[in-house]
Amino acid sequence: SNLYALKGGNTQGFFKYFPGPDTWHQLDTVPGNGSTAKKKRVKAGGDLVAYGGGAFFALKGNKCYELWRYVEGTTPYGLPFVASRSGVQAGLSAHRSTFRVSPNPLAGGWAMVRYSLPKAGPVTVTVFDVAGRSVQRQTLVANKAGAVALDLRKVASGIYLVRLDASGYSQTQKLVVQR
C-alpha cells in the first residue's frame, strides 16, 4: 500500500510515499560510510528488494557491494522503518566466490574443500593450527569450480584454519577436528 524509494544522485536519502495524503516522508538515511571507511552514498546501481516479514534490503550501488537491511519498527519520529545497521558486504569482487570445508566438525581423517573461484589457475590450500603454524599445504591447478580432498589423518584434535589462496582471491574457514 506504500512506495519506498532511494533518492540516488550520490545522496543518502530514503523515502516513503503515502498515497492517501499524497505525500513523501524521509525515513532514516542509508549509512554513508561503509566497510572501506570512504563515503559511498546511493548512486548508480542502487536498488530495493522486498524480503517479507516486515523487512527489505537496500543496495547502495556506487560500486560498493553493500547491502543494508531495513526492519519494520518505529523510530523516535514515528516513522515505520529503520536501518538495522547490520550491513552485509559481498566483498570487493562482483563474482560470488564460495569456499566450504566439510564435514565440519571432522571426526574422520579426510575433509573436502569445495570452491568456486573468479578464474581458473594455481591454488594453494593451507591448514593452520591455533598458533598460526602451517600443518599442511597443498598446491594444485584448479578449475573455476571444484573440490579437493585433504588428508588430515595425522592432525590432532583441535581447532584449525583452512585457507584457500588463488590469484586475487583468499578465503579462510574454521575447521574443528574431533577424534
Side-chain angles (χ1 to χ4, degrees):
S1 64
N2 295 302
L3 178 68
Y4 295 91
L6 296 169
K7 184 176 180 188
N10 206 28
T11 68
Q12 293 173 251
F14 176 48
F15 292 85
K16 177 180 179 180
Y17 175 73
F18 294 91
D22 192 28
T23 58
W24 286 92
H25 293 283
Q26 184 167 1
L27 304 177
D28 192 24
T29 60
V30 174
N33 291 342
S35 61
T36 61
K38 293 181 180 178
K39 286 192 182 214
K40 291 284 189 170
R41 297 179 175 173
V42 178
K43 207 170 181 180
D47 202 359
L48 293 174
V49 178
Y51 176 67
F56 59 89
F57 293 90
L59 178 65
K60 287 170 43 171
N62 199 6
K63 298 180 185 175
C64 72
Y65 304 98
E66 293 182 10
L67 195 63
W68 293 89
R69 182 174 61 128
Y70 282 82
V71 181
E72 190 170 13
T74 304
T75 66
Y77 306 106
L79 300 173
F81 281 91
V82 63
S84 70
R85 305 278 190 222
S86 59
V88 178
Q89 1 181 107
L92 300 177
S93 170
H95 178 269
R96 296 191 188 275
S97 299
T98 58
F99 170 66
R100 190 176 57 139
V101 180
S102 62
N104 195 1
L106 176 67
W110 292 86
M112 188 65 75
V113 175
R114 289 179 174 74
Y115 59 86
S116 168
L117 303 170
K119 62 181 180 177
V123 169
T124 303
V125 178
T126 311
V127 180
F128 296 95
D129 64 11
V130 292
R133 296 179 298 242
S134 172
V135 296
Q136 183 174 347
R137 178 183 224 102
Q138 189 170 343
T139 303
L140 63 138
V141 177
N143 292 323
K144 287 179 78 173
V148 61
L150 293 178
D151 182 3
L152 300 174
R153 292 178 289 184
K154 295 180 182 177
V155 173
S157 295
I159 298 174
Y160 296 87
L161 294 176
V162 180
R163 186 174 74 197
L164 182 131
D165 292 300
S167 178
Y169 175 78
S170 180
Q171 189 143 357
T172 305
Q173 183 178 345
K174 179 175 76 171
L175 173 66
V176 178
V177 176
Q178 297 176 337
R179 305 238 192 249

